Amino acid sequence: MTCTEFLQILDNVIDESIAAETRAEIEAHLRKCGHCEVVLDTTRKTIEIYRCHEIYELPTEVSERLHTAIMDKCRKAAR
Ligand SMILES: [Zn+2]
């Protein structure tokens, strides 16, 4: 699994609507990729904050900005 693949299914990961084999791939990726681990953690926390305010949908703008920032970090880390 690559960072891009991980980010594409990030929403499903958070909803836990993923197959067991996919979950194993994600866990393997997170073990070697600290950036995606941080993304997952940050996104979960962000969503919790939104839920506390009874806003269930993460605005597209916010998730796009998050994805862009993370991909930028992943690219830099790969160098
Ligand atoms: Zn990654």
Side-chain angles (χ1 to χ4, degrees):
M1 176 167 298
T2 65
C3 296
T4 310
E5 284 166 345
F6 172 75
L7 290 175
Q8 275 167 353
I9 59 163
L10 183 60
D11 291 344
N12 296 335
V13 176
I14 285 160
D15 289 343
E16 309 215 332
S17 57
I18 44 167
E21 62 212 46
T22 312
R23 188 190 298 265
E25 279 184 46
I26 290 160
E27 280 168 10
H29 181 76
L30 292 179
R31 269 196 292 274
K32 56 183 180 165
C33 183
H35 293 291
C36 287
E37 198 177 16
V38 171
V39 176
L40 183 59
D41 197 48
T42 308
T43 309
R44 273 204 180 118
K45 281 182 185 146
T46 308
I47 286 167
E48 271 169 35
I49 292 162
Y50 274 95
R51 282 189 180 151
C52 287
H53 292 86
E54 296 191 352
I55 301 165
Y56 292 91
E57 291 276 317
L58 193 64
T60 313
E61 196 202 331
V62 173
S63 63
E64 273 176 11
R65 214 186 301 154
L66 196 64
H67 284 196
T68 308
I70 300 316
M71 286 312 294
D72 203 45
K73 276 187 189 163
C74 284
R75 271 196 295 267
K76 277 174 189 155
R79 261 173 221 161

